Amino acid sequence: MSHEKPSKNEDEYFARRDADLIRQQRAAAQQAAAETERKKHFMKCPKCGYDLITGDWDGVQIDQCTHCHGIWFDAGEAESLMKKSVPNILARVFRAVAKGVTRK
Ligand SMILES: [Zn+2]
């Protein structure tokens, strides 16, 4: 049967193509799920899961949890704070932050 071989190759081709499509669909679904998961955590406290709000303390943006009052610095914010020439800048900021966002 001379035409059996090409037919088998065809089957393999379609099987491989289907497997590739399934793999691509699975990867896209995983990526979408991960994106949804990230969005759910945006501006949420990494510790207790409540909302974070952004406050400005001496020009430095600090995110603070509305529930546990934990604070969060974005990349570069802690660094820019350290570069300020104000003495005890960290102590001043932390004291201000400790008074809490709920004071507003
Ligand atoms: Zn919290």
Side-chain angles (χ1 to χ4, degrees):
M1 306 253 185
S2 60
H3 67 272
E4 224 179 64
K5 208 179 175 198
S7 154
K8 190 176 173 248
N9 283 344
E10 222 169 77
D11 285 351
E12 279 174 3
Y13 167 79
F14 283 115
R16 208 175 307 130
R17 199 198 59 173
D18 287 352
D20 281 348
L21 280 174
I22 288 167
R23 213 173 298 128
Q24 282 168 18
Q25 283 171 352
R26 216 173 272 158
Q30 276 173 356
Q31 208 174 341
E35 189 63 32
T36 302
E37 191 68 10
R38 267 195 296 278
K39 276 183 186 149
K40 263 195 276 180
H41 288 89
F42 179 72
M43 286 301 279
K44 298 289 177 192
C45 177
K47 192 176 178 185
C48 71
Y50 277 77
D51 291 338
L52 297 176
I53 61 167
T54 303
D56 186 299
W57 307 97
D58 281 330
V60 178
Q61 304 286 305
I62 298 172
D63 300 324
Q64 185 168 34
C65 178
T66 52
H67 182 71
C68 72
H69 297 174
I71 62 171
W72 187 260
F73 293 89
D74 283 356
E77 283 170 357
E79 202 183 341
S80 73
L81 194 61
M82 299 300 281
K83 281 180 185 158
K84 282 180 186 272
S85 54
V86 182
N88 299 319
I89 183 70
L90 271 184
R92 289 164 71 130
V93 169
F94 280 115
R95 241 194 315 273
V97 169
K99 287 177 185 162
V101 288
T102 52
R103 192 177 39 143
K104 285 179 191 169

